[in-house]
Amino acid sequence: MRHRPLRNAARGNLPSEPGPFVGRGAELAGLGRLLESSRLVTVTGVGGVGKSRLVLAAAAAVSAGASSGGRAQEQERYCDGVWLAELTSVRDAALLEIALAEALGLTDHTVRPPRAVLAEHLAGRRLLLVLDGYEQLVEETAVLVRELLRRSPGLRVLAAGRRPLDLDGERVLPLAPPAPEEALALLVERVRAADPGFAPDVAERAALAELCARLDGIPLALELAAGRLRTLSAEQVLARLEDRFALLTGGARGALPRHRALRTTIGWSHELCTAAERLLWARLSVFAGRFDLEAAEYVCAGPDLPVGGVLDLVGELIAQSLLVREETPAGVRYRMLETVRAYGAGWLESTGDAGRLRRRHRDWYVGLATWCELDWFGPRQEEVAALVGVELANLRLALECCLDEPDGLHLGQYLAGTLWFYWAGCGRLAEGRHWLERTLEGGDRPVEYETSRLKALWVLGYVAALQGDAVASMSALYECRDAAVRSDNRVAAAYAVHRLGCLALVSDDMGRAGELLGAALERYRAVGELNGNVLMCQVELAMAMAFQGDLAGAAALCGEVREVCEERGERWTKAYALYVLGYAALDAGDTAGARRLLTECVRINHAFHDLVGLVLALELLALVTAAEGDPAEAAVLQGAAEPLWGGVGLRLFGSGYFNAPRLACRERAAEALGAEGYAARAAEGRGLGREVLVARALRTPGERGGAVPSPRPSGRGGPLGAGRGRRVAADQP
């Protein structure tokens, strides 16, 4: 069957180029030809030769051609977009598949292996996957790429690394430094970026050309030299390089090995730094990916490097092209190129101070997670989500440090547990479970660390419940509850009872869910606990009440939650309260009120990448649309929600309670459209990408030209009456 692209789906995630792409026309054309004839193309070369910039330029050209104005063949080949996975900061092989899924924008709440999720997602798609910086996991990357290519006939991979993947069918493009004239153009352009008035005369251009030749034209070396040309002339830079070249080559003036030329340039840049700049360079090497000024000040400052001077030193390293300044969703961050970072890491190891700096780094990110957990229950929720997303590479590094240190396991349990809001609230269940299980593998720890272990246990139980893994969830939660009772930890016991109630709720045991959730709320009140978890417990209790017919009580309880959330600025839990309120409003026949509540719910869940909340709200909103008199649009929304269930993990298709809106919508829309008409519109919906689906769901009847809703009876005769409480043996589209 011929593949049909995801209409209006996201077309990729390529970043905008930081500056003009200079030269490399022949290499770019050659790379394009290789991509036409092979499904796996790898660009190889020494560090700093420009592999990343070349593959990004090629990918951008492919993306532009596929989206508009390109050849029909190219549009078909890459109709599902071009996606970049930056793997430089991934050190744990178990996170490789998770990193690729993240790059592709996948959210999966199931217990399926991430590799299976990737393969399923890519199986019917035509896209280009760009892999950059896989050297530290080359064997694992090769195995994964081979499997994905085998199972996904429409997939093409463009990789950049210092060595090939060595797979059958791989075409390798060894990247040499640019031609002399291109190297000179690149150097001049980089100097002009800092000094727009830079206009070298003939003699200066000759000196610059000699400088390019001495540096073998390696782009990173030229970048570093450009930083020096802000204060030195080309002749002065050449003179200072001469001694280093002679030392490393025994005085020979022949062509240098390229790796030595780059290392020489980095080493020369290192020598030209002040002692304080060199010290900061070495200490910054403990960061993974991006970092902010506050983190740099905490981790790197000390008696020999005053905190007040770090900002100026960062500015100097930026001026010398040793650091890059970037804008991120969480604000300004700094990044060190991997080759430069590795050089600094070598110096840090030689000082014997690397272990202390890694622990400082770990402590900063444990503190950051602590503050983020507190801020999650407040108006900065979206900022917190963005912040943790930007800092994820460093948080992973901190977790690894906890696992590597003999006395750090309890910190790892604390950190993995403290990030519960990110694992559960931002679509990161698989990664959260990975870290929670790893930190709990060490067995029992001294009593003074029991609190951290108990927190990791109840969070693991929560994550497993959301994944639909009842056995693992119960195991962790019972262990947590029993240990909490033995140690008289009333807070941990409350959380364990709460999450057991949550598990009963998603398992359709509403009577037991009500008992456990009510008991958990009493325990929370007894210990004075109030946060997003406590409010979510109230919402979950309200769901159990609503599903058992007490809609008035459920609405009252969620009305209280909504008020507290609005007081605090909390939005994630509020979205679930809005779902229950929308459920009650629709059951009462208030379609306009239900739509207002549910559209806000959809916006919030989509912003947080909460797939569970999103799909539940979308299905209820589809029923609202049917009740408004637009069965065709309801069928489209219902069909569009169906593929989302594949990534949810909760086995709710068979739930007599959570499935009621879905059944009611299908029955009502199919009655109006006929079986074939409903199937056609639902199939149309299944082809929508998530962004388009959300935008379409948020349209009002007036915006889509829908029918005016007719009055409906309230209570059990309302829109929800047809499906509530019915157990579903099988679910067919």
Side-chain angles (χ1 to χ4, degrees), residues 456-703:
L457 279 169
W458 74 252
V459 175
L460 175 59
Y462 181 27
V463 166
L466 291 178
Q467 288 184 305
D469 190 346
V471 174
S473 178
M474 281 191 290
S475 175
L477 292 173
Y478 281 136
E479 183 181 352
C480 178
R481 186 194 63 183
D482 294 345
V485 170
R486 287 194 302 269
S487 60
D488 195 29
N489 190 322
R490 295 191 298 160
V491 173
Y495 279 100
V497 172
H498 171 191
R499 294 310 171 190
L500 284 168
C502 175
L503 182 60
L505 180 72
V506 300
S507 302
D508 257 12
D509 190 349
M510 295 303 157
R512 178 163 171 75
E515 292 174 8
L516 289 168
L517 294 167
L521 286 173
E522 290 179 7
R523 289 171 180 260
Y524 283 140
R525 281 191 285 269
V527 297
E529 193 84 348
L530 177 61
N531 55 32
N533 281 298
V534 177
L535 295 179
M536 187 64 82
C537 187
Q538 289 183 255
V539 173
E540 289 159 353
L541 177 58
M543 286 181 176
M545 294 166 62
F547 291 149
Q548 294 179 94
D550 186 5
L551 286 159
L557 194 54
C558 282
E560 293 176 13
V561 172
R562 183 183 186 183
E563 288 180 10
V564 175
C565 287
E566 289 176 348
E567 258 179 35
R568 299 274 185 159
E570 206 278 357
R571 300 184 68 222
W572 180 62
T573 306
K574 177 185 173 182
Y576 283 88
L578 294 173
Y579 170 81
V580 177
L581 291 169
Y583 188 100
L586 179 58
D587 193 75
D590 181 8
T591 55
R595 172 166 289 281
R596 285 193 301 271
L597 293 161
L598 292 169
T599 52
E600 185 178 0
C601 179
V602 166
R603 286 192 182 96
I604 295 171
N605 285 319
H606 183 53
F608 285 113
H609 306 287
D610 185 346
L611 204 58
V612 175
L614 179 62
V615 70
L616 288 173
L618 284 170
E619 290 204 329
L620 194 53
L621 197 53
L623 180 55
V624 170
T625 305
E628 289 169 337
D630 195 346
E633 184 66 11
V636 170
L637 296 179
Q638 186 66 71
E642 286 176 14
L644 298 182
W645 282 109
V648 167
L650 297 176
R651 298 182 179 91
L652 300 183
F653 268 152
S655 168
Y657 300 97
F658 285 101
N659 199 43
R662 190 169 190 275
L663 279 179
C665 180
R666 172 183 295 175
E667 291 174 8
R668 185 161 185 166
E671 182 181 357
L673 300 172
E676 290 185 4
Y678 175 86
R681 297 309 301 270
E684 178 186 341
R686 285 192 289 272
L688 297 178
R690 195 179 305 171
E691 294 288 338
V692 176
L693 163 60
V694 169
R696 188 158 178 168
L698 297 178
R699 294 188 304 177
T700 65
E703 290 170 333

Side-chain angles (χ1 to χ4, degrees), residues 31-112:
L31 190 53
R33 289 192 294 271
L34 289 176
L35 281 171
E36 289 182 2
S37 61
S38 176
R39 294 179 58 213
L40 172 60
V41 179
T42 304
V43 178
T44 63
V46 299
V49 79
K51 302 182 295 295
S52 297
R53 291 295 296 272
L54 181 66
V55 297
L56 284 177
V62 165
S63 180
S67 59
S68 61
R71 294 174 299 172
Q73 183 183 16
E74 195 170 56
Q75 290 179 4
E76 175 67 16
R77 182 178 295 155
Y78 305 115
C79 55
D80 289 314
V82 181
W83 302 83
L84 168 66
E86 294 180 303
L87 305 177
T88 304
S89 63
V90 179
R91 297 286 187 267
D92 185 343
L95 297 178
L96 181 60
E97 293 96 337
I98 291 174
L100 260 64
E102 174 190 347
L104 289 165
L106 299 183
T107 302
D108 188 83
H109 289 298
T110 70
V111 294
R112 294 179 298 169

Side-chain angles (χ1 to χ4, degrees), residues 217-265:
I218 296 176
L220 177 55
L222 298 179
E223 296 267 2
L224 297 173
R228 290 297 168 191
L229 286 166
R230 298 175 64 228
T231 54
L232 299 173
S233 69
E235 290 81 359
Q236 289 174 314
V237 172
L238 276 170
R240 282 159 174 76
L241 275 176
E242 188 69 29
D243 290 341
R244 288 194 59 84
F245 280 143
L247 177 65
L248 288 174
T249 62
R253 292 184 56 86
L256 294 170
R258 284 164 187 153
H259 70 277
R260 185 175 293 177
L262 177 59
R263 186 168 180 81
T264 298
T265 311

